[in-house]
Amino acid sequence: MNYRKAAPLPPVTLDDVRGAQKMLTGVARVTAMEGSRYLTQLVGAPVHLKCENLQRTGSFKLRGAYVRIAGLLPEERAAGVVAASAGNHAQGVALASSLLGVHSTVFMPKGAPLPKISATRDYGAEVRLHGDVVDETLAAAQEYAAETGAVFIHPFDHPDVIAGQGTVGLEILEQCPEVRTIVVGIGGGGLAAGIAVAVKALRPDVRIVGVQAAGSAAYPPSLAAGRPVSIENPATMADGIKVGRPGDVPFAIVGDLVDEVRTVSEDELSAALLLCLERAKLVVEPAGASPVAALLSDPGAFEGPVVAVLSGGNVDPVLMQRVLRHGMAAQGRYLAVRLRLTDRPGALATLLGVLSVVDANVLDVSHVRTDPRLGLTEAEVELHLETKGPAHCTEVGEALRQAGYLVID
């Protein structure tokens, strides 16, 4: 649905974004633009991937953090900066601060993935673990700022941050001047707002589409209400866009300049991450894969050439394992099945023989003999199988039933 409406002039201008681009020269990488043959065939027009997952610190966040901190007065720099984040913003602030010689303190949730905590420390920040959810972590960081005088660096709700993120838009126009549609994930809105400011000023004909995870989509109701509204208990594996309320500054820009905001499901995010890994050979976190998820869910809705912004690649290995398995299941390439068989020597080997005939790859077997639900001569087996798609899953199930096995699920 298109929520375009009249709005006051945005607080960030093209000149601001161009100034940020000069400031970031030699600091942020001009990330690659890679073509995707698979998505091009699917959409029916050229599709390019803007690889911010290959940016320093693994995401676009360095751009906005550096511009914000570089713009501080000398006395503000002397007081240090503080931020709250579960990952990408934390690393962006840590590196930006180190490059500028500013002390940084970053509050992270107690349950933040260890690789992200370690990376933030390695980039030079003092890390403090506080709270079980990001809201508690944010409150602690703001309290620290009030007590110490450190400058709080917001992840998206500041004009300098938005100007820094907008440099992605300038690069897109330079690398793909024929672009007709830009698809970008939206959390608080800083990246989408920055891209929109830069692109619409130079190419108002380019369509900008924002993408949110369905379980954490605060922008559609906010745009409908004409003001930022909060949603309760946002839930998605895409933690990079898991934001319960749009930022005030980016909201005004998104409402005025972003043409459409779409939502994608968890299954679509999983499938997109798997596609990026298998077809593009790119490690992308769920939030970064959200534009690809939008293309997969409705390929005919996008006029090409299309640029999909892969905003980050900082994915926890444990989450990656779960997401890949989920993505394979969503594509019918992973099948979990429970069945009962007679508990006698050779029974399991016979079962595996049936699976071998239909070319199902067994990943894991769980064999239960002692359970009150089982008869004296029964055993229950849970199988995790790698399959070749929905049709193959059906073939496997039918083969088991024809062999006389009681398939429970």
Side-chain angles (χ1 to χ4, degrees):
M1 184 179 293
N2 192 324
Y3 292 101
R4 181 182 292 279
K5 64 180 181 60
L9 290 175
V12 183
T13 67
L14 176 61
D15 285 342
D16 294 327
V17 180
R18 283 176 166 160
Q21 188 176 46
K22 291 180 181 178
M23 190 180 296
L24 288 167
T25 300
V27 175
R29 293 173 182 152
V30 177
T31 51
M33 183 84 76
E34 299 286 346
S36 171
R37 181 178 178 182
Y38 178 86
L39 291 173
T40 292
Q41 292 176 337
L42 185 69
V43 172
V47 175
H48 305 279
L49 307 175
K50 177 60 172 167
C51 300
E52 282 296 289
N53 59 310
L54 303 179
Q55 183 58 261
R56 297 178 70 179
T57 74
S59 88
F60 71 96
K61 289 289 190 177
L62 171 65
R63 298 173 184 261
Y66 187 90
V67 172
R68 173 75 173 102
I69 298 169
L72 296 178
L73 298 172
E75 57 269 27
E76 291 175 318
R77 290 197 190 193
V81 300
V82 60
S85 169
N88 289 345
H89 181 57
Q91 293 173 64
V93 168
L95 179 57
S97 299
S98 294
L99 293 173
L100 292 164
V102 177
H103 177 76
S104 63
T105 303
V106 176
F107 285 78
M108 303 182 76
K110 295 176 183 177
L114 290 178
K116 294 185 178 182
I117 295 173
S118 177
T120 303
R121 287 193 175 120
D122 288 345
Y123 286 128
E126 175 188 346
V127 174
R128 300 192 180 192
L129 302 179
H130 185 93
D132 296 317
V133 295
V134 174
D135 286 345
E136 295 175 357
T137 308
L138 179 63
Q142 291 173 327
E143 182 179 348
Y144 177 90
E147 292 175 351
T148 65
V151 179
F152 179 69
I153 306 300
H154 200 284
F156 50 80
D157 204 10
H158 192 280
D160 289 349
V161 172
I162 293 171
Q165 321 303 28
T167 59
V168 175
L170 293 180
E171 290 179 16
I172 289 172
L173 295 183
E174 292 164 1
Q175 294 170 310
C176 185
E178 68 277 14
V179 63
R180 297 291 300 169
T181 306
I182 297 173
V183 191
V184 55
I186 296 185
L191 178 61
I195 289 175
V197 167
V199 172
K200 289 292 188 178
L202 297 169
R203 287 280 308 281
D205 59 303
V206 174
R207 184 172 180 81
I208 299 178
V209 179
V211 184
Q212 292 207 287
S216 183
Y219 262 91
S222 296
L223 291 167
R227 58 181 175 80
V229 298
S230 299
I231 59 171
E232 293 185 3
N233 303 318
T236 176
M237 63 181 162
D239 56 355
I241 54 174
K242 185 180 177 181
V243 178
R245 181 186 183 278
D248 293 331
V249 179
F251 175 79
I253 300 171
V254 170
D256 188 42
L257 298 179
V258 172
D259 295 278
E260 180 184 8
V261 175
R262 290 174 168 252
T263 61
V264 292
S265 69
E266 299 297 286
D267 282 351
E268 289 163 346
L269 287 168
S270 296
L273 188 149
L274 184 61
L275 184 143
C276 288
L277 186 64
E278 287 190 329
R279 298 299 183 100
K281 314 307 177 191
L282 293 168
V283 176
V284 183
E285 62 189 273
S290 59
V292 174
L295 296 177
L296 292 176
S297 67
D298 191 6
F302 302 91
E303 180 184 0
V306 178
V307 172
V309 181
L310 308 182
S311 58
N314 291 318
V315 57
D316 178 50
V318 176
L319 175 62
M320 172 70 88
Q321 184 180 42
R322 286 167 38 208
V323 170
L324 290 179
R325 181 166 289 188
H326 187 78
M328 290 178 66
Q331 292 186 353
R333 295 169 51 192
Y334 179 87
L335 178 64
V337 61
R338 283 193 304 130
L339 49 84
R340 289 184 184 176
L341 45 73
T342 302
D343 187 15
R344 55 181 172 75
L348 184 58
T350 302
L351 168 61
L352 297 179
V354 173
L355 295 173
S356 176
V357 170
V358 291
D359 202 23
N361 185 31
V362 179
L363 300 176
D364 190 35
V365 178
S366 176
H367 197 188
V368 178
R369 290 187 174 88
T370 55
D371 190 297
R373 298 171 301 164
L374 299 175
L376 184 63
T377 60
E378 286 184 323
E380 185 173 286
V381 175
E382 181 174 352
L383 299 162
H384 292 222
L385 309 172
E386 182 182 3
T387 51
K388 301 174 183 178
H392 191 208
C393 289
T394 301
E395 181 185 355
V396 170
E398 185 60 29
L400 290 171
R401 291 183 181 90
Q402 288 185 358
Y405 293 103
L406 174 62
V407 179
I408 301 171
D409 56 25

